[in-house]
Structure formats: structure tokens, C-alpha cells
Amino acid sequence: MNANTCIQPPQFLPLSPLYQQSFHIFTQKPLSLKPTKKSCYSPTRVCDYSFKGGVFRTQKSRVKCSVSEVEEQKEKQQKVMKRAYPFHKIEPKWQSYWEKNQTFRTPDEVDTSKPKFYVLDMFPYPSSCMYRLDFGNRGVVVRGGAGLHVGHPLGYTATDILARLKCMQGYNVFHPMGWDAFGLPAEQYAIETGTHPKITTLRNINRFRSQLKSLGFSYEWDREISTTEPQYYKWTQWIFLQLLKRGLAYQAEVPVNCYKKVSLFITKQPMRQWMLKITAYADRLLEDLDDLDWPESPTLSLEQQHSLLPSLMSLSQRESVEEYKDLASGKSDLERTELQKEKTGIFSGCYAKNPANGEAIPIWVADYVLGSYRTGAIMAVPAHDTRDYEFATKYDIPIRWVVKPDDDDDFNDSRKAYEGGGSILISSSSTSGLDINGLDSKVAASKVIEWADTTGNGKKKVNYKLRDWLLLDSDSGETAPILETDLPLALPELDDFTPTGTGEPPLAKAVSWVKTTDPSSGKPAMRETSTMPQWAGSCWYYLRYMDPKNSKELVDKTKEKYWSPVDIYVGGAEHAVLHLLYSRFWHKVLYDIGVVSTKEPFKCVINQGIILGEVQYTAFKNPDGNYVSADSADLSGEIIQEIIPEEKVIKSGDSFVLKGDPGIRLIARAHKMSKSRGNVVNPDDVVSEYGADSLRLYEMFMGPFRDSKTWSTSGIEGVYRFLGRTWRLIVGVPLPDGTFRDGTVAIDGEPSFEQLRSLHKCIAKVTEEIEGTRFNTGISAMMEFINAAYKWDTLPRSVVEEFVLLLSPYAPHIAEELWFRLGHLNSLAYEPFPKANPDYLKESTVVLPVQINGKMRGTIQIEEGCSEEDAFRLVSQDAKLSKLLDGKSIKKRIYVPGKILNVILGPQNIKAGVR
């Protein structure tokens, strides 16, 4: 065996602690995997392998490598020297400090005379992060928790910035974290792998927690909760009993998703279900929205289980429609209405008659139309409803615009659905005497209702987009609640948790647990074998954070009264609609029975945008293998698509083209991150390469917080350079070996007016933008400050310290280290946040150019109407200009108010022989 050959490793183990809890590797036969370029064997070292995103480490090998230890150390040293600043040392140091000193712990007893700030994240769902990788017939299966991708920390970073700001502004800050860990994904994964869901869920929780801590979030980890713990779901069960007592929980027969025994295919079957009567609170849920700070076509579509559908299918379409029904019935209502999901449907082959104009309207079967909403059949309006527009565009259904803004005569009716208010009707006259052209949309709606009632085509009815909540399925028969003193009802441990195939839940297999005794009569009884969905646990978790260890009541009334309601609640919009609706319903029930003191749980809700994967460039080839331009490619023909690397692409006007052939236009598009597309960016990789502060800063700098944004590696490199410039400005340039000296280059001394003005403008902007959740423009203000500071001759310590405090909510690790190097021994987490001095923000000031002997030497900041004497005094106080005047005689001053000051110096004494 020569020195360049690596032997096949005998077995595999996870590479790093981050993967040790989230990967299982099973081998049936030896593998031949190619080592990565930077990996090698040695008598004292292990070997790294990489394949399809997984990196694994073998046991120690006894075979020497051609790469020497010296060369490896040299490469490592070169990497260190290239770093803009030593984040790899700074970040672990301060994370350890925060944990050891419990820097962000909220005590049980707080000073209630201080204002409170409860900032909350929609807690993560670690049970859903399961994946499986198969490597053909090699017999290797890698299963485990994928953890977070870079889209997840977007909202978490925003709440952390807000929490840190309020903490420094003197608030009692409450910033907890927990896990929404019950749910179908964990159960499905358990069924597929035979692994108990408790094992995989705990493993994923540990994975999530380690990633969140690596990003420096200021969570109150002492109050961490998990919906799977008995001490938590005891109170979820208790809330259900309160609903039952008040007639808000009842049983009814409704269709639900069920597994077929062998294939695990989901189908809908009518079963007896537990329902929650949320409709009883419909009026209150609507009316109370007024006090909250929350974000706010014609085709006939049928729900696929609609009773009329069998009679509306043409013979030619019947088989296709039945196939589509089977496919769509496997989707839950949540999946079918999810905003980001692609809508699907099929033409029924039949038409309906529009009673107003007699036109034939095609009848489609669509997955986003719910049978539980009104009649299960809708008159779609693709021109004026986003979902209908997407559906019509996909299936080439004609779109007719009938509404336009009343102040837009040049309204373009071919761009996207117009859903705005302040609109008038167009193209809306009919053959039946109904003419609503030119009317305000609200007036027109009333006139249509009146016409429909008069002609017998319809009648007025108030409908809520609300139905009773299907909570869980149940066997038929008498029901009796267990005693509250017997809570929690702990779930039994099951070895077999596969579906029963009968519609009964897996718990039905725990026969000895199911058989019990009625607590009131003493007669034999059967336990309820269905479990509540994860929605139940997430409906009230924000309350449990306030008092997580209380075994006597859901939450202490004094604590609840102080911390309620949640001041800011941040999360994605995709699943938030139903969650917020259910949470408000449960909260109002708890309010009615005296458990909580507020009518609403969340004062302000903010929906973050999503982070898309990096832009992918797609080229098209004809069957001969030649590139064809995207604008001339026949996408319906035999066209081959090819992903083009970014380095082979250039921009030409508004398009992207091949660098080697600018006549070939490409399609440039960013997609939502998903493992199937291969565009997921792991935050661990970003932190390793650029540091956690760079990731935090970049996610806030990408664009407006509420908008969708596209990930760009070059973008994160930009904010990384900004942090490096900040570090070098305050610490100094690196030493020859790449390390940095201790301390700072900042000096004690009075700052100039210009320096103070630059600082206070930055303070005002950053404060305003954080509080308005416009984080990207706050970062821009800090970048402008650093650019200005690099032009100063001196760096006053007092100015630098204020800036470091400004930076700290965004980039806490580097800020803590700079604060320490500026001579402070304690964390800056509770230092007062800087306040802008209005004296330096007055817009009446002007920049006055200063000349000496007719040559421009600098500028000073003056007030409008400033006298010549005051202007010259400011020049004399300026650090740079005063040096040019020191010891010189003044011949005269030429002053044009607000325009220029020219100081003419007298002749100097020149010694003989000296020029």
C-alpha cells in the first residue's frame, strides 16, 4: 500500500457533537467512500468522508498519509490569518459567559414598578425535522433531525434584537423558548423507522437547542417547556375538561383523514369526532380584532368530496376526476389552504350557467376549496382573489377584470389579482337587467344582493369563515370526564405504534390501559384512545412560560396579570391563521372562567417574510444538445433543462445570459428552501465560515423584515466585512501572525461637534428603526457611521462606547468583546441604551467649508446665522484645523455667512539657510 492510499474504514461514527445526537448510521456491507480533499489518515487522527451533505468520521487508522502535520497546521494558521476578526474565539467565550452568569434569566419575582416587555416567537416544531437518505444497494440509511436552516433564525433574530433593546431601556424583559413537539410528523416517522417518537423528538430538541444557543439568542432557558411533558399536557387536558363542562366540546360524525392499513395512504372516512364549538365565540373573535395591532374570478370550483360532484362529471372526465379525488383527499385542510402551496385541480367536463348574463362557466374540482366552508362550491374571481388568480393562471382559465381602483384610469388589468378597496365596477352589465358599471364596490354588492333576492337567484345571509374545530376522533357511546385530581392522564408506553387499519388510533392497542373504571359509577369503562393535535398544546403555551413549574394551577394569577398580554408575537404566516384563531378562542374561554385577566393573548403580531434559496439559473437545450434562449424555447416540447453555475452567468439589461454566449437568455428564479431542491443552507456552515453575528446581521440586512428575501452568499460576505472593519477601527490592524493586540486604539478625549453629530444621528436612526422593525435600515445607519469614523484623525472612547452599545442587539458577541476591550468588566446586556441628543440633530445646521490661505482644509458644522466669531471659534476647536492655526498669526478672515470661511495667515519667520 503506497502513501497516497487510504484504507477502507472499518465502521462509521458521527463527525461532530452537533451530529452525534441526530444521525444514526446502519451498515449491512462495507462502504467505499472517497475522503474529502482536506482529510487524511494518521496514527493519531481520524478520517473525514463526505457524501450528499453528510460528513462522517472513521475510527483511527494505522496508515500514514502523504499530508504532514506541519502542512495541516500551516493551512489552519493561514485560515486564521484570513479571518476579518477572531469570531471563532469570541462567540464561544461570550455564550459560555451568558450561560454561566444566567445573564438573561428573568427572576420569578420582578420589580413590578418597572414596565414589562413580553416578546414571543412561534415556538419551533422539532418533530417535523426528520429525513431519510438512502444510498442504493449499499445498505446504508442515514436518519435524523435536519435541524434549522437559515430561514428559521430570521424571526428569532428579530425578537432577540427587540428583547436586548428593551432590556437596555430598563424594561423587565420576558423572552422564553420551548418546543411544540407533539404531532403527526413524529408519529409518521416512528411508523416508518420503528423508532419511538419520544427518542427522535428529544434528539431533535437537543439539536435545535444547540443551534439556537450557537446564534447567541437571549432566551430564558430556565423556563423552557415542551408540549410532550406530562407536567405540561396535564393542563392541556385540564383546559379540555373546562370546555367539556361548558358545552364547548361535543361529538359529531364528520369526515377525517385515515390511514389505509397496508399502503399508509390517507383517505377521508366519516367517523365520530370530538369538536370544539369555536363558532359560539365568532362575534367576539371578530369584534375584538379592532383593538389589536395585527397584519391584515369567474370559475366555479368544487371541493373534491362535494355531494353534487358525481352528477357534474362528464363521461370523458369521470376517470380523471376520480383519480384526482383520491389524491386530494389525502391532504389535510391545513395543507390545502396553506398560502405557499401550489394549487391543483381538474376540469369536471361540465359547465354552470351564470344567472346574471347566461354565460357558461367551467366547473373545476380544486384542492384549495374546503367542503366545510359554506356550501363547498365557490364562484371563483381570479382577477380579484390571489388564490383564484394563481389557479386560473396555472390552468389557462380566462380572467376577466370587473373591479378597478376608482382613482386609476390607466389601471393595468393583466398583472396580478387586484384585491384592494376604494374600487369601482367595470365590465359589469348583464342581459337580465342588472347594470352595476361605475358603482362603488360596496354599493354594487348591495345592489346584486337585492337583485338576486328579487329574481329568486339567491338571498342575503351572514357567513363567518369559521367552523367548529375538529379536535380528535372518538368511539361512539356515553362519555364521562376523569376527575381533575387524576390529571395528568399519562400515556402508556407502546412497542407497536403502527396504524391499526381499523380507524382506531394506535393507543387502542394498549388494552390494559384502555380498560378502566368510571370514576363516578364504579362501572367498567373504556378510555378515550385518541389524542389532541399539536394545535391544543400550542394554544396556550405563552401562558405556561410565565409559571412553568406550577403544579397547582395553570398559571399564577399575579404573574399572569403582570406579564399579559404578549407585547409582540413573531412568526411565519403560513400556519399562523388557524393557530392564532384557536389561541384566541381558548384564551377567551380562560378569560370567562377567570384564569386570565385579558381578553386577548397577543397585542401585536408580526409575520416575517420567508428566505428563499439562492437564485438558480436555468438554461434550455434542444434535442440536439444545443442551447436555446429561454424566450424562444418551446417548453412543451422535448427541452432539456440545465442549472448553470453563477460564475458562468452575466446580467444583460433586465435579463441574465450565458457569459460565453450572451444570445442565450436564462431563467433566473429563487425557490423556497427545501431538501428536495437541494437549496437548503445550513446555519452551522454559515456560523463556521463567517460567525453567528454575521448570520444575524445579514438576515436583518437582506431587506424589509416582513418581505420575502433571497439568500446570497456574497451578501453575507458584505456584512462580515462590515464587522471586520468595525473590529479593526476599534482594536487596530492585525499583527503579522494574524492575531490582534489586546485593548483598543480609542483614546480618552473630547469628541468634536462633527463626531457627536454623526454618533447621535446614528443613535436616533438605529433606535427608531429597531422599534419599527425596520432592521435593515438600522444596519445601514451603522455602516454609514463606521464609514465616517474611518475618516477621523482620532477615535474618542466615549463615542466608540456608545456605538458598541448600538451594535450589541444586532451582533452581541463582537459587541461584548469590544466593550470588554474598552475597559469594562461586566456584560453590556443591562447597560443603558444610548439616547439621541436633539442638540446634534437640528436640521438648521449647515456644513461650512474652511479654507486656509485660499486652500480647502476641511469643514465644520455650524448653525444657520452663525456669526464669524462663533465660526472661527469652532475652527479653533476642531482637532484637525486647529493644528494648522497653532502658533500662526492671523492676517485676516474672509467670512461669507453659511457659505465659506477663509483664514489668511500672516508671513512666517524663516531662518537663514532654511527653506
Side-chain angles (χ1 to χ4, degrees):
M1 183 177 295
N2 61 47
N4 292 322
T5 303
C6 286
I7 64 169
Q8 180 174 305
Q11 68 182 103
F12 294 83
L13 297 172
L15 169 63
S16 71
L18 286 179
Y19 292 115
Q20 284 173 358
Q21 296 178 341
S22 56
F23 280 22
H24 284 312
I25 301 143
F26 308 96
T27 61
Q28 297 174 353
K29 60 175 70 174
L31 288 179
S32 297
L33 301 175
K34 185 179 180 180
T36 58
K37 293 180 180 179
K38 297 179 181 178
S39 304
C40 58
Y41 287 119
S42 79
T44 58
R45 217 168 43 254
V46 294
C47 184
D48 296 347
Y49 286 85
S50 64
F51 52 96
K52 291 190 177 180
V55 183
F56 300 93
R57 177 172 287 179
T58 70
Q59 288 185 330
K60 296 176 181 178
S61 165
R62 297 179 181 178
V63 181
K64 293 185 178 180
C65 296
S66 58
V67 180
S68 68
E69 292 284 350
V70 175
E71 289 174 332
E72 187 174 309
Q73 289 298 323
K74 183 178 180 181
E75 181 181 359
K76 183 178 179 181
Q77 185 67 17
Q78 287 175 342
K79 241 182 181 180
V80 171
M81 292 182 68
K82 289 180 181 178
R83 287 195 175 108
Y85 71 102
F87 63 83
H88 62 298
K89 294 182 179 179
I90 292 171
E91 292 176 355
K93 169 186 173 180
W94 288 104
Q95 289 166 17
S96 176
Y97 176 94
W98 295 328
E99 187 163 0
K100 179 181 179 181
N101 293 277
Q102 295 187 305
T103 303
F104 306 110
R105 182 178 180 274
T106 304
D108 290 332
E109 303 297 330
V110 297
D111 180 2
T112 56
S113 65
K114 294 173 62 176
K116 65 92 179 178
F117 183 70
Y118 187 175
V119 58
L120 181 66
D121 294 293
M122 291 183 185
F123 62 173
Y125 185 40
S127 298
S128 65
C129 290
M130 311 288 184
Y131 67 88
R132 169 178 175 161
L133 300 176
D134 296 302
F135 293 87
N137 60 3
R138 293 177 174 177
V140 175
V141 177
V142 181
R143 299 184 179 100
L148 304 172
H149 63 62
V150 293
H152 294 117
L154 178 66
Y156 304 152
T157 304
T159 57
D160 194 60
I161 291 171
L162 291 168
R164 288 175 178 272
L165 170 71
K166 293 299 181 181
C167 186
M168 298 172 77
Q169 289 179 334
Y171 286 73
N172 287 328
V173 172
F174 196 37
H175 188 208
M177 176 50 69
W179 318 104
D180 187 13
F182 269 135
L184 285 175
E187 295 175 18
Q188 181 63 32
Y189 183 77
I191 292 168
E192 288 184 7
T193 64
T195 308
H196 197 285
K198 182 176 182 179
I199 296 173
T200 55
T201 297
L202 289 177
R203 186 167 62 213
N204 287 337
I205 286 175
N206 291 335
R207 172 93 168 107
F208 271 49
R209 188 191 301 109
S210 67
Q211 286 186 300
L212 292 177
K213 287 187 175 182
S214 75
L215 295 174
F217 296 134
S218 59
Y219 289 126
E220 161 56 295
W221 288 109
D222 278 359
R223 295 174 184 263
E224 178 184 350
I225 61 173
S226 171
T227 57
T228 61
E229 298 299 328
Q231 59 267 33
Y232 183 88
Y233 66 69
K234 167 185 177 178
W235 297 105
T236 307
Q237 294 170 343
W238 181 86
I239 295 173
F240 177 79
L241 293 181
Q242 310 316 306
L243 294 167
L244 186 64
K245 287 179 184 178
R246 286 154 182 81
L248 296 171
Y250 66 97
Q251 291 177 298
E253 190 169 278
V254 294
V256 294
N257 292 331
C258 294
Y259 287 107
K260 289 186 176 180
K261 187 170 184 179
V262 179
S263 65
L264 296 181
F265 184 74
I266 302 175
T267 184
K268 282 191 181 291
Q269 295 181 8
M271 297 184 66
R272 193 150 183 85
Q273 303 294 309
W274 278 105
M275 311 286 291
L276 297 186
K277 202 170 185 179
I278 190 173
T279 51
Y281 280 72
D283 290 329
R284 288 170 61 183
L285 288 168
L286 181 63
E287 293 164 1
D288 291 345
L289 282 173
D290 294 338
D291 299 325
L292 301 178
D293 181 11
W294 286 28
E296 278 176 62
S297 33
T299 298
L300 184 61
S301 297
L302 292 174
E303 195 265 342
Q304 74 272 4
Q305 299 293 341
H306 199 282
S307 59
L308 291 177
L309 186 55
S311 63
L312 296 177
M313 293 186 290
S314 67
L315 291 177
S316 62
Q317 285 290 95
R318 184 174 297 276
E319 183 178 351
S320 298
V321 173
E322 289 291 352
E323 289 179 359
Y324 178 76
K325 282 174 58 181
D326 289 340
L327 178 65
S329 64
K331 298 180 181 181
S332 68
D333 286 358
L334 179 62
E335 291 174 315
R336 289 163 58 191
T337 56
E338 189 173 337
L339 299 178
Q340 304 297 331
K341 294 291 185 184
E342 185 177 11
K343 283 80 181 163
T344 65
I346 191 169
F347 179 45
S348 70
C350 292
Y351 294 81
K353 181 180 178 181
N354 186 328
N357 57 20
E359 289 184 0
I361 302 172
I363 300 175
W364 284 70
V365 183
D367 63 350
Y368 71 98
V369 181
L370 303 181
S372 53
Y373 175 57
R374 297 184 181 176
T375 64
I378 66 167
M379 182 77 163
V381 283
H384 307 293
D385 180 273
T386 300
R387 294 186 307 166
D388 293 345
Y389 181 88
E390 293 172 356
F391 187 84
T393 303
K394 179 176 180 178
Y395 293 105
D396 295 323
I397 299 170
I399 298 174
R400 179 181 299 171
W401 269 259
V402 295
V403 178
K404 78 175 188 68
D406 58 9
D407 59 351
D408 188 356
D409 295 331
D410 298 322
F411 177 63
N412 183 344
D413 62 359
S414 62
R415 297 170 296 178
K416 60 182 180 179
Y418 171 68
E419 298 180 306
S423 53
I424 60 174
L425 275 291
I426 57 174
S427 305
S428 297
S429 61
S430 75
T431 58
S432 58
L434 178 64
D435 186 356
I436 51 178
N437 273 322
L439 295 181
D440 175 83
S441 55
K442 291 183 179 180
V443 175
S446 299
K447 190 170 181 179
V448 171
I449 293 171
E450 180 183 350
W451 170 84
D453 188 58
T454 302
T455 59
N457 287 303
K459 60 181 179 179
K460 181 177 181 179
K461 182 181 178 182
V462 176
N463 265 323
Y464 290 107
K465 292 184 179 180
L466 185 66
R467 65 187 185 278
D468 279 350
W469 176 9
L470 188 158
L471 185 70
L472 49 87
D473 57 314
S474 169
D475 298 329
S476 59
E478 296 286 332
T479 60
I482 67 172
L483 300 176
E484 292 181 10
T485 54
D486 292 338
L487 297 178
L489 176 60
L491 301 176
E493 294 287 342
L494 289 178
D495 295 325
D496 179 12
F497 30 78
T498 57
T500 60
T502 64
E504 292 182 299
L507 273 181
K509 297 180 179 181
V511 178
S512 60
W513 180 85
V514 171
K515 293 181 178 180
T516 186
T517 303
D518 186 332
S520 58
S521 66
K523 296 180 180 180
M526 305 287 284
R527 291 192 192 278
E528 173 64 76
T529 55
S530 295
T531 57
M532 288 183 279
Q534 79 270 16
W535 294 102
S538 63
C539 276
W540 68 279
Y541 72 105
Y542 57 94
L543 294 171
R544 193 59 178 173
Y545 281 139
M546 302 174 186
D547 200 8
K549 297 179 176 63
N550 194 330
S551 60
K552 297 181 179 179
E553 54 187 337
L554 186 150
V555 61
D556 177 80
K557 285 182 170 54
T558 302
K559 294 176 181 178
E560 183 278 329
K561 188 173 183 180
Y562 177 71
W563 289 114
S564 290
V566 174
D567 294 282
I568 292 183
Y569 193 20
V570 175
E574 290 187 35
H575 299 297
V577 177
L578 290 179
H579 162 61
L580 293 171
L581 185 64
Y582 295 157
S583 290
R584 294 181 64 221
F585 167 50
W586 277 39
H587 190 91
K588 288 183 181 299
V589 174
L590 293 175
Y591 175 77
D592 290 346
I593 64 177
V595 175
V596 298
S597 60
T598 62
K599 293 182 180 180
E600 289 288 336
F602 317 117
K603 182 188 299 184
C604 174
V605 171
I606 299 175
N607 293 140
Q608 72 209 44
I610 61 173
I611 294 182
L612 304 173
E614 290 203 72
V615 173
Q616 291 185 341
Y617 302 95
T618 305
F620 302 94
K621 289 183 175 180
N622 60 24
D624 296 330
N626 299 318
Y627 286 115
V628 292
S629 187
D631 46 15
S632 60
D634 181 7
L635 300 183
S636 62
E638 296 181 2
I639 291 295
I640 302 170
Q641 296 187 18
E642 179 182 332
I643 302 299
I644 304 298
E646 186 177 9
E647 59 269 19
K648 295 183 179 181
V649 176
I650 59 172
K651 191 169 185 180
S652 176
D654 294 331
S655 303
F656 291 91
V657 298
L658 279 177
K659 186 179 292 185
D661 187 352
I664 302 299
R665 190 171 71 83
L666 310 175
I667 296 295
R669 184 179 177 187
H671 300 272
K672 187 177 179 181
M673 287 189 181
S674 67
K675 290 184 288 292
S676 61
R677 288 191 178 274
N679 63 348
V680 170
V681 179
N682 191 322
D684 299 343
D685 298 333
V686 178
V687 170
S688 174
E689 186 74 16
Y690 301 102
D693 284 339
S694 292
L695 176 59
R696 292 168 58 110
L697 206 65
Y698 176 57
E699 298 217 345
M700 295 297 97
F701 190 57
M702 293 173 74
F705 179 61
R706 294 166 174 81
D707 293 355
S708 295
K709 297 163 279 286
T710 303
W711 180 268
S712 168
T713 300
S714 60
I716 195 168
E717 288 172 349
V719 297
Y720 175 60
R721 288 193 297 270
F722 162 68
L723 290 177
R725 293 189 74 223
T726 301
W727 175 266
R728 292 190 300 275
L729 174 72
I730 300 173
V731 174
V733 296
L735 300 173
D737 63 356
T739 62
F740 292 86
R741 62 177 58 85
D742 295 334
T744 176
V745 297
I747 63 171
D748 295 321
E750 289 298 319
S752 67
F753 182 93
E754 182 181 353
Q755 291 170 329
L756 290 173
R757 179 173 173 80
S758 180
L759 170 67
H760 285 272
K761 284 178 63 178
C762 185
I763 292 172
K765 186 66 173 178
V766 171
T767 306
E768 179 183 357
E769 301 306 87
I770 292 179
E771 291 179 339
T773 65
R774 297 179 295 271
F775 305 104
N776 56 321
T777 47
I779 296 172
S780 296
M782 289 188 285
M783 289 179 170
E784 290 176 7
F785 173 85
I786 291 297
N787 288 339
Y790 262 93
K791 299 175 183 178
W792 300 342
D793 292 333
T794 60
L795 192 66
R797 184 187 301 270
S798 60
V799 171
V800 171
E801 289 182 338
E802 295 281 278
F803 176 77
V804 168
L805 295 175
L806 280 184
L807 178 65
S808 64
Y810 285 93
H813 304 90
I814 190 174
E816 288 275 22
E817 182 66 19
L818 291 173
W819 187 250
F820 175 75
R821 285 170 173 261
L822 286 164
H824 304 278
L825 300 180
N826 297 320
S827 168
L828 53 67
Y830 293 93
E831 290 292 324
F833 198 75
K835 292 183 179 180
N837 185 336
D839 292 342
Y840 298 105
L841 305 179
K842 295 177 181 178
E843 294 301 325
S844 60
T845 59
V846 295
V847 176
L848 182 72
V850 177
Q851 293 181 344
I852 296 180
N853 290 340
K855 186 176 182 179
M856 178 65 67
R857 293 294 189 177
T859 62
I860 57 172
Q861 202 84 21
I862 65 170
E863 296 289 330
E864 287 185 357
C866 177
S867 67
E868 179 181 332
E869 287 299 328
D870 287 338
F872 183 73
R873 177 175 52 80
L874 291 173
V875 170
S876 303
Q877 294 173 352
D878 183 86
K880 179 182 178 180
L881 295 173
S882 61
K883 292 180 180 179
L884 299 175
L885 301 178
D886 188 33
K888 309 293 192 306
S889 62
I890 308 297
K891 185 175 181 180
K892 67 175 180 177
R893 298 193 300 247
I894 303 171
Y895 180 59
V896 179
K899 300 294 183 180
I900 197 168
L901 172 63
N902 186 8
V903 180
I904 307 299
L905 302 179
Q908 298 183 19
N909 295 325
I910 302 177
K911 295 182 179 179
V914 179
R915 294 182 61 89

